[in-house]
């Protein structure tokens, strides 16, 4: 299989690597780069656990080829905390108990982060729509929606401060 040199911005930093043409972004992140916050769930585009942001848009990394990210910005859950401080969306999930077993959480957090970047004050319906590709088997979703609403409020407070 042919390989390519890959140059992109990964979690805010310039990144260069080599990937086979057929390597999935999920496998590249976890096995080549060695960052494992992005989770494998169904491995088939059904659950959303592997969601990352590419140029701020949520993408299922189990369906995207690593080589298609050349020249783009890829953000994983590892990009969110800064100097040991949780980001607004991470605080939202933590403070509103939006995670239980945690298997789905990085995917929900990144899909929610993408939503808040596009729409910092989403309605409940807009949150439901944005998270429609993510599956959680534990929370019943109510706490997750509360977490995103809470994160939006925290973001507003941060902006006003
Ligand atoms: S692991 Fe990608 S959608 Fe389930
Ligand atoms: S918290 Fe367990 S699957 Fe969502």
């Amino acid at each position: 299989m042919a390989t390519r040199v890959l140059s992109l911005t990964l979690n805010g930093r310039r990144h260069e690597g080599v990937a086979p043409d057929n390597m999935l972004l999920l496998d590249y992140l976890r096995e080549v780069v060695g960052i494992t916050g992005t989770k494998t769930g169904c491995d088939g585009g059904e659950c959303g656990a592997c969601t990352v942001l590419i140029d701020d848009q949520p993408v299922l990394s189990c369906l995207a080829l690593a080589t298609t990210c050349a020249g783009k910005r890829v953000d994983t859950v590892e990009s969110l905390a800064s100097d040991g401080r949780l980001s607004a969306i991470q605080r939202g999930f933590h403070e509103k108990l939006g995670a239980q077993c945690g298997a789905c959480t990085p995917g929900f957090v990144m899909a929610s982060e993408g939503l808040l970047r596009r729409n910092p004050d989403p309605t409940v319906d807009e949150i439901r729509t944005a998270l429609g590709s993510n599956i959680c088997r534990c929370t019943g979703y109510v706490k997750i929606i509360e977490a995103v609403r809470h994160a939006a409020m925290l973001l507003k407070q941060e902006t006003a401060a």
Side-chain angles (χ1 to χ4, degrees), residues 21-113:
D21 280 346
N22 66 348
M23 179 170 261
L24 295 168
L25 177 59
L26 176 61
D27 296 332
Y28 183 77
L29 291 170
R30 292 179 59 86
E31 293 167 21
V32 178
V33 184
I35 52 176
T36 55
T38 306
K39 300 304 179 199
T40 309
C42 65
D43 210 10
E46 303 280 349
C47 74
C50 64
T51 304
V52 301
L53 300 183
I54 299 180
D55 291 343
D56 294 333
Q57 298 301 317
V59 170
L60 300 175
S61 62
C62 74
L63 297 184
L65 292 173
T67 51
T68 62
C69 299
K72 299 188 175 170
R73 275 184 296 118
V74 178
D75 292 320
T76 71
V77 71
E78 284 91 348
S79 69
L80 298 179
S82 153
D83 295 329
R85 195 166 162 266
L86 297 181
S87 71
I89 191 63
Q90 289 173 308
R91 280 183 61 199
F93 272 74
H94 177 63
E95 292 172 11
K96 292 296 175 181
L97 307 178
Q100 289 186 22
C101 80
C104 69
T105 307
F108 270 100
V109 165
M110 293 314 289
S112 304
E113 173 72 14

